Amino acid sequence: MKAKFKSYIRNLVCLSAFLSCLIAALLSGCMKRPTFVNSLPGERGMRYSATAGGTLTNGMAAHRIRSDLVTASDELWIIARSSESPAPQGDDAPGSGALMAQLEERQIPMPLKHTDVRASLSGYIATVQVVQQFHNPYDTKIEALYVFPLPANAAVNEFIMTIGERRIRGIIRERQEAEAIYQAAKRQGYVASLLTEQRPNLFMQSVANIEPGKAIDVTIKYFHTLAYVDGWYEFVFPMVVGPRFNPPGSTNGIGAVALGEHGASRQKTELQYLQPHERSGRDISLSVAVDTGVPIEEFRCATHAVSHESISSHQLAVTLNPFDTIPNRDFVLRYRVAGGKVKSSFLTHRDARGGYFTLMIYPPEELASLARQPLELVFVLDCSGSMSGIPIAQAKAAIERGLRRLRPGDSFQLINFSMNTAQLGPRPLEATEANIEGGLAYLHALKGEGGTMMIKGIQAALDFPHDPQRLRFVCFLTDGYIGNETEILREIHQRLGASRIFSFGVGTSPNRYLLDQMAKAGRGAVAYLGPRDDGAQVMEDFIERISHPALTDLRIDWGGMQVEEVFPRAVPDLFVGRPVILTGRFKGNGNTLIRVAGNAANDPVSFSVPATPVASSETSSGLPSVWARMKIADLADQSLLAPDARLHAQIKQVALDHNLMSAYTAFIAVDSTRQSGGSEGVTVPVAVPVPEGVNYDTTVK
Amino acid sequence: MKLIGNVAQISNLLYRRFPTYGATRVIAGSPKCNSARRQIGNLRYLVGLCALLAFSPSDSLFAQPDATNPTPVRFLAVDIFVDSKDQPLAAYQLEFSVTNSLGKIVGIEGGEHAAFAEPPFYDPKAMQRERVIIAAFSTQPADTLPTGSTRVATIHLQVIEKAVPEFVLKLHTAADAGGRKLTVSAYLEEGRSR
């Protein structure tokens, strides 16, 4: 009896526990909504929904699709065809029905409709405003994602979201905080914009909750210094990111996939590329206002068709022609001022934070007359798939000219890399006629195919003993289409030794961040070969420049300025035709005489630069941002060699104090006055064209 | 003596014939039988519980805080007004701050009048403490400037969901088109849907 009673009690307890758990499970399961399922092993979940038909808000009727051909799980791009013939514009006008019919182009609706760029160039500072016009051509709410390039030294310090007539200024915040705010706003149905940095020259714009038919504009403003070489200023606006190669097994690179193949690359950042016959309808407008302060003698834009107006002898307005507005290559404007070169110059700005300056030091005339020294030239050619066609042809022409300019007493080596490396011989060859002809034969046989294991090229180029009797210059010719920039730069730092690195960027949209950094790390310089540039002439100029000794070991006496935090920290060598630009802070009297001293072929050289501060202007008001951007770059370089969380914290703080984008800060803007209902909408990445001259089939997955 | 059989009876549900491992012939009343009854009795509820857990939503019984949204938040807008009475307002400077750390500023919007439509700049160091010093001036002619109560800016905020953020608004100065100081008042209102 007792045993039975115990058994009953035991069963009762078990039953009670079971029923309690059952009730608890049912109740809590009812209160929670299903968690959003991400289709990516990362922070963004994307799901495309197929709709049978729908109407685009630009008045074009959607192509009706039979519902039995489409299921809810299909990925489907709605292809729109106008039900009416477009107004005749002439067969040559882009976008005209006649032209599209001839090319059999396929129109892909994209959330990014237009980009407007306005640049103002004064001295060697550029102030640029970029307006990205997003719209929703679909019948459901969307989130737009757009990965785009900017100059690697751009100090992005302003961000405004425009909805109709309303303008909302974005706030710079610590990156993770900004991302969390954006995700919360997106989930709750608010229009929000987030700008993050993926690389110093690569950014991602996210715009959430764009309702059907609505438009959102995002305005970005930045400052940067202009390049100045051999008497020519150069302004570059990059328009497209080239497809990058990522070493096998990497996930922190930049993926390149076909339209709709989201996640195929397994990279943290990814771009979708349009096929050569696809068009998004997106275009770009660009205008540049130049004010040099001295007469402008000549200007060139070899990359695009432009119109211009000379407002005065020292002011020029340049505008992109309406029929050259497909953003598939970088815009490059060069202009030359009176006298063929500019004198050393000095610019200052003072505000509540203190004094900022930038100094351009131009090499003295006599440097060009000093004797030439024997050279050891190591040419390293990128033979990957993205280089096939025009880029490798240009690079080979440049190397050929370099080989033919060598003199008795010089030596050379040829190295080529793609997935593996190969070289002309086990060691550099004397520059004899026979050896040069052998080198040319080797060069002419090289082709562009395969991946881009640039690490192997760097190791091969820097890992053999340096001839102390010769000046060694390692010349990399590449488009820089790789996703592991950090690894490459670290390798250069570790192996550089007594070499100097000159990087030649090839193609319509080279990776300028990588190439500039390689030159900086290698104490050399960088040059760019656009598709319409003469590669042989660029190499001719380069050989001429390096043939004269540089002014090395530069020492600067700043007079009464009391300078601090001057960047770059290690003052570069001063080569003929290439000035050095230093940016820093000062406390003392900005009106002083600056003395520059150095060695040229072991002989001391010195000269003075009068430093008279000019009145603050819009241009000089950008100096604090330019300086802060250089400080951030310096901290990032230090972190490259020795990763340290304290350096990351310093970068973040400098960026927050100066309202700047960085790897650890981001801009966020939320319109909290209006909340849209329904789900978070469909995420639509903006697909981009492959840069002009790049082969889609060999570079995109 | 009753033969229980060689299956475990797990209640009277359809799967009562669900076979258990190592079916054994058990005779009722035997020691083995009593042990078997206890084991089957316990197994009954255990299997039922396991079945319930296997088919229930994973976040129902062992719900963990969502890593992507650790603290529930909401968004709200605060409109800032300056009342210059019958004087045309050309410039102002004021300070807005969140004083109890329960809100973050996520946007600054321009005002309703064309003279102040451009969103004001903010001081980045002050912003790090959720404090905004905003100022604007217009060079438009006096007869086109706003008078009376004008919304000069809107602050967009993210706040903790169930919290009550506290704001402070300080007016520093205001002036007319001639640069003369004006006596004005400033106040806040919760932003309306636009």
Side-chain angles (χ1 to χ4, degrees), chain A residues 394-410:
Chain A
Q394 274 195 301
K396 286 161 76 172
I399 294 175
E400 179 169 346
R401 178 63 67 90
L403 290 174
R404 293 196 187 283
R405 286 279 273 117
L406 293 175
R407 296 183 189 177
D410 295 337

Side-chain angles (χ1 to χ4, degrees), chain A residues 204-272:
Chain A
M204 179 185 288
Q205 181 71 259
S206 309
V207 185
N209 293 306
I210 308 176
E211 293 182 86
K214 300 293 184 188
I216 310 285
D217 289 357
V218 176
T219 303
I220 299 162
K221 188 171 171 185
Y222 62 87
F223 298 94
H224 69 98
T225 53
L226 300 174
Y228 180 84
V229 180
D230 294 326
W232 292 80
Y233 284 102
E234 181 177 274
F235 167 76
V236 178
F237 183 77
M239 290 196 188
V240 67
V241 181
R244 307 287 180 88
F245 171 82
N246 303 285
S250 69
T251 56
N252 201 31
I254 299 168
V257 301
L259 182 63
E261 296 294 323
H262 171 74
S265 70
R266 301 183 186 278
Q267 298 299 327
K268 193 176 169 189
T269 304
E270 194 174 76
L271 283 105
Q272 296 190 11

Side-chain angles (χ1 to χ4, degrees), chain A residues 303-615:
Chain A
T303 57
H304 291 78
V306 296
S307 58
H308 74 278
E309 181 190 348
S310 294
I311 299 168
S312 71
S313 63
H314 58 88
Q315 291 174 303
L316 176 69
V318 177
T319 307
L320 194 62
N321 270 8
F323 53 83
D324 195 2
T325 58
I326 296 177
N328 62 350
R329 58 196 186 282
D330 294 351
F331 176 87
V332 181
L333 175 69
R334 296 189 178 116
Y335 55 95
R336 188 164 60 85
V337 297
K341 64 179 187 293
V342 73
K343 304 289 183 194
S344 295
S345 58
F346 185 65
L347 196 63
T348 61
H349 172 83
R350 272 191 199 270
D351 60 23
R353 293 168 290 192
Y356 298 84
F357 74 89
T358 182
L359 171 69
M360 177 191 276
I361 305 174
Y362 200 83
E365 295 264 7
E366 52 270 27
L367 209 61
S369 61
L370 294 177
R372 186 189 189 284
Q373 292 178 270
L375 304 175
E376 178 183 279
L377 286 187
V378 180
F379 295 102
V380 187
L381 178 61
D382 179 352
C383 290
S384 62
S386 62
M387 289 283 288
S388 67
I390 294 174
I392 201 168
Q394 274 195 301
K396 286 161 76 172
I399 294 175
E400 179 169 346
R401 178 63 67 90
L403 290 174
R404 293 196 187 283
R405 286 279 273 117
L406 293 175
R407 296 183 189 177
D410 295 337
S411 66
F412 71 96
Q413 172 64 287
L414 278 176
I415 299 171
N416 55 290
F417 69 90
S418 53
M419 282 304 290
N420 294 297
T421 58
Q423 55 194 58
L424 178 61
R427 62 186 65 80
L429 301 174
E430 294 288 332
T432 62
E433 199 173 317
N435 286 341
I436 289 175
E437 288 305 318
L440 289 172
Y442 181 89
L443 177 69
H444 291 150
L446 297 175
K447 297 176 190 173
E449 55 190 356
T452 319
M453 290 297 287
M454 190 179 282
I455 283 276
K456 294 185 180 179
I458 288 173
Q459 290 165 350
L462 299 177
D463 272 357
F464 59 93
H466 165 229
D467 181 349
Q469 303 303 316
R470 298 185 172 103
L471 289 175
R472 174 190 281 187
F473 295 96
V474 180
C475 309
F476 279 90
L477 296 98
T478 174
D479 52 19
Y481 284 176
I482 50 104
N484 57 333
E485 292 98 327
T486 302
E487 199 181 351
I488 301 290
L489 296 171
R490 190 177 295 135
E491 205 71 23
I492 290 174
H493 274 288
Q494 291 170 351
R495 295 170 189 271
L496 184 65
S499 303
R500 293 286 193 274
I501 288 186
F502 280 76
S503 49
F504 290 85
V506 188
T508 57
S509 298
N511 185 347
R512 289 172 190 261
Y513 162 65
L514 173 68
L515 292 156
D516 288 353
Q517 288 292 103
M518 286 173 68
K520 183 177 159 191
R523 295 170 300 182
V526 62
Y528 290 98
L529 294 174
R532 298 176 184 83
D533 286 330
D534 181 352
Q537 188 57 50
V538 173
M539 182 60 73
E540 179 89 36
D541 294 340
F542 162 68
I543 297 287
E544 175 63 24
R545 184 172 309 114
I546 64 172
S547 296
H548 303 285
L551 197 60
T552 60
D553 305 318
L554 282 179
R555 301 173 299 280
I556 302 174
D557 178 353
W558 297 97
M561 283 187 67
Q562 297 178 52
V563 304
E564 55 186 19
E565 295 193 282
V566 180
F567 301 108
R569 244 182 239 279
V571 181
D573 297 339
L574 196 57
F575 284 91
V576 169
R578 286 190 177 263
V580 163
I581 299 179
L582 302 174
T583 306
R585 304 189 66 166
F586 71 97
K587 290 180 183 174
N589 180 10
N591 191 355
T592 187
L593 192 66
I594 298 170
R595 295 193 180 278
V596 181
N599 299 319
N602 299 321
D603 292 330
V605 175
S606 66
F607 57 94
S608 300
V609 178
T612 305
V614 297

Side-chain angles (χ1 to χ4, degrees), chain B residues 75-94:
Chain B
F75 293 86
L76 69 94
V78 174
D79 292 337
I80 299 178
F81 292 84
V82 173
D83 187 350
S84 60
K85 305 285 189 290
D86 59 349
Q87 298 298 311
L89 178 69
Y92 70 87
Q93 179 175 311
L94 48 82

Side-chain angles (χ1 to χ4, degrees), chain B residues 111-154:
Chain B
E112 60 185 335
H113 192 280
F116 302 112
E118 197 61 18
F121 289 92
Y122 58 87
D123 175 58
K125 286 211 169 182
M127 179 60 74
Q128 293 172 52
R129 296 184 300 279
E130 306 305 331
R131 190 165 71 94
V132 176
I133 300 170
I134 55 176
F137 69 91
S138 173
T139 55
Q140 290 181 11
D143 57 352
T144 63
L145 294 172
T147 57
S149 185
T150 307
R151 181 177 68 81
V152 295
T154 294

Side-chain angles (χ1 to χ4, degrees), chain A residues 148-176:
Chain A
F148 64 98
L150 287 179
N153 61 346
V156 180
N157 72 338
E158 211 171 309
F159 179 80
I160 296 176
M161 179 173 72
T162 303
I163 307 168
E165 299 294 318
R166 300 167 52 219
R167 290 164 64 75
I168 300 173
R169 183 175 299 281
I171 309 297
I172 194 75
R173 291 207 168 269
E174 191 270 331
R175 181 174 178 147
Q176 286 182 338

Side-chain angles (χ1 to χ4, degrees), chain A residues 28 169 173 177 188 659, chain B residues 60 73 104 108-109 122 130:
Chain A
S28 65
R169 183 175 299 281
R173 291 207 168 269
E177 183 182 51
Q188 296 184 27
N659 210 51
Chain B
S60 56
V73 296
K104 293 181 194 296
I108 301 176
E109 182 178 345
Y122 58 87
E130 306 305 331

